[in-house]
Amino acid sequence: MPYTASEQRYSEMKYARSGKTGIKLPQIALGLWQNFGGNRTLDIQEEMILRAFDLGINHFDLANNYGPPPGSAEENFGVILKKHLRPYRDELLISTKAGYHMWNGPYGEWGSRKNLIASLDQSLSRMGLDYVDIFYHHRPDPETPLEETMTALDHIVRQGKALYVGLSNYDAEQTQEAVTILRRLGTPCLVHQPNYSMLNRWIEDGLQDVLDEHGVGSIAFCPLGRGQLTNKYVDKIKEERANPTGNLRKEAYTDERIAKFEALQTVAERRGQTISQLALNWILRGNRVTSALIGASRVSQIEENVAALQAPELTTEELNEMEIILEGIGNYAW
């Protein structure tokens, strides 16, 4: 049966402007980093992507190496796009990236002009697209001159193969330099994609100030701490403590740390939320982060996360309480 998108898809999703640009991002976006590769059946992926779009998630984030195997997430997304979402292409914001290892030899990773242009051509072929909306450099290259990498991004936009460019995993100093080069070239940076959560707050130490100064948006990946900020996490670390497997250091399941997660869960329950929803509200507090990039293995997780946007904003009292809980909590991703 042909797919028809919900007529209510934009009624409850909230959108925020990405820095000082004309683009608005859904405050919850769907990343296809895991669970969308060749190791999952296509019907499950299709169900998640279409349900996400029905809920107003019109931003789908990929990278050349997402899978496994590398490239399979883009291939699968291309199949779903062709089968169901092609009529809605102009409503979609599709992004991909290059920078991590993708093929053998000296040009299969990092940030050379040759790697970025070749990688995007491959990505477009896998997805069956003429262009992507956002093309990211996925990580800084310690050896390639930054001018070369940024000039390649500018060239890609001028070719019409991407409408906007972004950065990911760049620190504050690297971002300052990259954004300055891009602006001089005439292709301003649209968005930065950092790893950010209640357990990983490195962007607060300078990067957010650089983004604010230059009018660049941000979309946080791993906002749930790779599963640590979920209701099941306390049970997992208690089980790890009872039957150590070596997956976590002992500091991850001390009595004090378990108590901190239980305290966060108490705050969430008081608000009528799950801890995942609380974590997303926290990420989006104060409008300094444009969007939270979630992953999912089933439809119910997408529905739960989108529902977080219907909750009232965190109060000053709640934020202060959470700051005390989060002090020294540590980040021990599984």
Side-chain angles (χ1 to χ4, degrees):
M1 183 176 179
Y3 167 74
T4 301
S6 169
E7 293 183 359
Q8 283 76 47
R9 60 188 178 277
Y10 298 117
S11 62
E12 294 189 0
M13 174 57 66
K14 296 180 180 179
Y15 300 85
R17 193 168 299 281
S18 184
K20 296 176 182 178
T21 74
I23 285 294
K24 291 184 177 180
L25 300 176
Q27 289 197 308
I28 303 293
L30 182 61
L32 278 60
W33 178 19
Q34 298 175 338
N35 300 309
F36 291 89
N39 59 337
R40 296 292 299 277
T41 60
L42 199 61
D43 59 335
I44 295 174
Q45 300 179 41
E46 183 178 281
E47 183 183 11
M48 288 192 287
I49 288 172
L50 298 184
R51 180 58 178 151
F53 187 51
D54 282 342
L55 291 170
I57 294 177
N58 61 347
H59 179 24
F60 297 97
D61 179 80
L62 299 105
N64 58 353
N65 63 335
Y66 287 178
S72 59
E74 289 182 329
E75 291 173 352
N76 290 338
F77 182 75
V79 170
I80 295 167
L81 178 67
K82 181 179 179 180
K83 182 179 178 182
H84 296 295
L85 293 174
R86 183 66 67 181
Y88 306 99
R89 174 63 183 98
D90 291 340
E91 297 182 35
L92 301 178
L93 200 69
I94 300 170
S95 60
T96 195
K97 316 177 193 73
Y100 283 97
H101 182 268
M102 187 59 189
W103 64 86
N104 293 332
Y107 318 123
E109 62 180 325
W110 295 111
S112 70
R113 179 185 182 93
K114 181 171 178 61
N115 170 256
L116 295 184
I117 293 173
S119 180
L120 179 55
D121 284 344
Q122 293 177 19
S123 292
L124 293 175
S125 178
R126 282 190 289 266
M127 290 187 283
L129 292 172
D130 297 323
Y131 70 94
V132 291
D133 297 280
I134 308 170
F135 183 59
Y136 289 90
H137 187 220
H138 209 165
R139 62 170 172 170
D141 184 340
E143 296 183 350
T144 300
L146 191 59
E147 186 88 25
E148 176 178 341
T149 302
M150 296 304 109
T151 301
L153 294 181
D154 171 68
H155 175 73
I156 283 166
V157 170
R158 294 181 188 279
Q159 281 187 311
K161 293 178 180 179
L163 302 185
Y164 301 91
V165 297
L167 308 171
S168 184
N169 296 306
Y170 277 56
D171 66 23
E173 183 178 353
Q174 293 162 335
T175 299
Q176 175 78 43
E177 186 178 358
V179 167
T180 300
I181 294 171
L182 285 170
R183 178 170 285 115
R184 186 178 72 240
L185 292 169
T187 300
C189 182
L190 173 74
V191 66
H192 189 297
Q193 188 177 131
N195 188 335
Y196 183 48
S197 72
M198 289 195 287
L199 309 180
N200 185 4
R201 302 177 62 170
W202 70 276
I203 74 170
E204 297 172 13
D205 188 22
L207 177 59
Q208 285 188 315
D209 293 334
V210 171
L211 299 180
D212 288 346
E213 176 187 350
H214 291 280
V216 178
S218 60
I219 178 168
F221 73 88
C222 292
L224 304 185
R226 298 200 68 177
Q228 296 175 93
L229 296 168
T230 64
N231 284 5
K232 296 180 179 179
Y233 183 67
V234 169
D235 292 337
K236 286 183 179 180
I237 56 179
K238 286 181 177 179
E239 181 179 345
E240 176 72 15
R241 182 169 63 177
N243 301 288
T245 63
N247 290 332
L248 288 175
R249 299 202 303 270
K250 291 182 179 179
E251 296 89 338
Y253 45 80
T254 62
D255 288 340
E256 180 182 6
R257 191 164 189 262
I258 290 172
K260 285 179 177 293
F261 280 101
E262 290 175 335
L264 286 175
Q265 193 161 317
T266 297
V267 175
E269 290 172 350
R270 197 165 63 223
R271 288 170 51 86
Q273 293 184 296
T274 64
I275 194 170
S276 301
Q277 292 171 328
L278 177 69
L280 293 170
N281 288 155
W282 183 90
I283 282 284
L284 298 169
R285 74 199 187 284
N287 300 315
R288 295 200 78 185
V289 171
T290 314
S291 178
L293 184 63
I294 65 168
S297 59
R298 55 186 181 273
V299 166
S300 61
Q301 293 173 336
I302 299 172
E303 293 171 337
E304 174 190 337
N305 290 339
V306 171
L309 300 179
Q310 304 309 312
E313 292 186 6
L314 288 160
T315 65
T316 300
E317 292 74 17
E318 288 170 328
L319 289 170
N320 290 339
E321 180 183 2
M322 292 171 69
E323 281 296 318
I324 295 171
I325 296 169
L326 293 172
E327 184 176 357
I329 195 169
N331 182 22
Y332 305 94
W334 286 77

